[in-house]
Amino acid sequence: MESSLERYFDQTVENDDHPTNDSHIFDPMIPYDSDLLIQESYYTPQLLQVHLSTELTSADLSFLSNDQEQQNDDEEGKDFTDQQQMIKHCQLLSVVKNSDGPENISHLPYQLTNQGIGTPIGNESSSICPVSMTPMTPVTPMTPVERSGIYPQLQNIVSTVNLACKLDLKRIALHARNAEYNPKRFAAVIMRIRAPRTTALIFSSGKMVCTGAKSEEQSRLAARKYARVVQKLGYPAKFLDFKVQNMVASCDVKFPIRLEGLVLTHQQFSSYEPELFPGLIYRMVKPRIVLLIFVSGKVVLTGYILQKEMSFLYLNSHLYDTVLDIAQVNIHNRTLMPEPFIKVWKKVGRSQNKRVGGRCAHEGKR
Amino acid sequence: MAYQLYRNTTLGNSLQESLDELIQVLLQFDKAINNALAQRVRNRVNFRGSLNTYRFCDNVWTFVLNDVEFREVTELVKVDKVKIVACDGKNEMESIWTCLGETPLFSFLV
């Protein structure tokens, strides 16, 4: 007899994958009354509403026996309250952002520095102080264009988990659906599911790598589904040490970036070899994130700092601001910037710089 | 209850020998059909459908497709479900397709 949880999960797995061998031994179910709602932790650009993921991790799929699991879930619960504080900080940020004058804005984004995020650039520390804007001086910008505009979108999450039992890969490949196993090429079964759309590498030791998910919660859910498939084939699969290993996000600053200028000012962090790779590789020290910055203004961020995706994105938004500042240094220095870029920069918006000489054609585009 | 003890008798052994000859016939059939498909089949068929499942094990691909259209110049065949078992030929993949839900059996050299 199965709980509703078990039935739901079986349905989703069967839609993806009908293992032909149905002989399996179930762990005794914990009855689960409430409806199972899968809510991924969305990240809305408006910053005003953030959906923290539901209690999916602690409540679902508890048939996979796992002592350490429960501990992890407790920790996750605590960390969410910290995030809520961060959310409040950032809300404050967005509210005051619209107020006049550079002075008010200066201290705001850097409340986050209390949380251990430092701006990695030495000479950018003056960005904390209000700075007067004159056209030709290379100044540190005090009013970044859009502080709460664009946030990085997660593109890929790589995670690992230990199923804690030896597996017969040939048998798994024969009985599971959507599986590939070519031992001459690679000593693992490559299995895929449709929802969430992910790929897993399952090794004979029982360890598994799950890639392709768009959020931490989805990655965990997908890993659970793979463990379920393995369990249905008769193995006593557990779900130990689930850990996100890497996250990749991308975003667009919406204006061209002068990479040569960037590498000049931040040479200890940047490496740029256009003949090798068209993007500039910016290795931020704290937090440890690598950014690939392209001339078009597209930025790819990768690395994994904290356990929580939300923190990752918040930190990344802070990094985005920092990069924006870095890039704007180049923009403000007009001697370095070619004509077309100046036009684009004007269009994107420096409406807050009232003291800048020259025409300001219109308010900055949002 | 029926013992296999009596196989090792004159009668049983003669029967075994006759049956072995028949198995040789089957092996001969295997060789002949592989040869014929490799040498004598030249036509080309296109097919398109949606993939339900796939499997790759022991160098054998197994696909299950849904709502498949087999298109040859002369004719068009639509099928709800198709199972494709593809083994590795030396250079080419030789496929034997069975249509589930319809009777025709198609063999094509891919």
Side-chain angles (χ1 to χ4, degrees), chain A residues 170 173-182 184 192 194, chain B residues 50-59 61 64 81 88:
Chain A
K170 185 156 162 186
L174 278 175
H175 289 100
R177 291 194 171 191
N178 300 327
E180 297 166 45
Y181 180 48
N182 196 359
K184 288 182 296 187
R192 293 181 176 86
R194 286 192 168 97
Chain B
S50 53
L51 182 68
N52 190 326
T53 60
Y54 65 89
R55 176 178 294 118
F56 182 64
C57 195
D58 294 328
N59 254 356
W61 278 103
V64 174
K81 191 172 171 191
D88 192 14

Side-chain angles (χ1 to χ4, degrees), chain A residues 298-342:
Chain A
K298 299 270 196 319
V299 179
V300 173
L301 310 95
T302 179
Y304 183 58
I305 323 157
L306 298 176
Q307 195 74 17
K308 294 298 162 281
E309 163 194 333
M310 284 304 183
S311 320
F312 179 73
L313 286 180
Y314 279 118
L315 289 170
N316 284 340
S317 71
H318 174 70
L319 295 180
Y320 164 75
D321 295 338
T322 313
V323 170
L324 203 54
D325 295 346
I326 299 168
Q328 282 199 330
V329 172
N330 301 311
I331 290 175
H332 287 304
N333 188 348
R334 290 192 190 183
T335 55
L336 282 182
M337 195 163 71
E339 236 339 280
F341 282 23
I342 296 179

Side-chain angles (χ1 to χ4, degrees), chain A residues 40-71:
Chain A
E40 292 114 16
S41 38
Y42 288 106
Y43 193 95
T44 59
Q46 282 80 21
L47 179 61
L48 296 175
Q49 278 172 350
V50 175
H51 283 286
L52 297 174
S53 60
T54 61
E55 292 308 306
L56 187 64
T57 53
S58 57
D60 73 323
L61 308 174
S62 45
F63 53 82
L64 290 171
S65 60
N66 181 5
D67 289 340
Q68 294 165 325
E69 248 282 285
Q70 295 304 316
Q71 292 175 12

Side-chain angles (χ1 to χ4, degrees), chain A residues 28-39:
Chain A
M29 297 313 143
I30 301 170
Y32 185 60
D33 292 331
S34 53
D35 287 336
L36 188 69
L37 266 182
I38 308 243
Q39 262 191 358

Side-chain angles (χ1 to χ4, degrees), chain A residues 147-187:
Chain A
R147 283 218 163 248
S148 63
I150 300 157
Y151 285 94
Q153 302 294 319
L154 280 172
Q155 302 292 343
N156 183 24
I157 310 254
V158 177
S159 59
T160 54
V161 73
N162 185 8
L163 303 178
C165 62
K166 292 271 174 275
L167 304 174
D168 180 1
L169 295 185
K170 185 156 162 186
R171 199 171 145 260
I172 292 181
L174 278 175
H175 289 100
R177 291 194 171 191
N178 300 327
E180 297 166 45
Y181 180 48
N182 196 359
K184 288 182 296 187
R185 277 240 179 111
F186 190 55

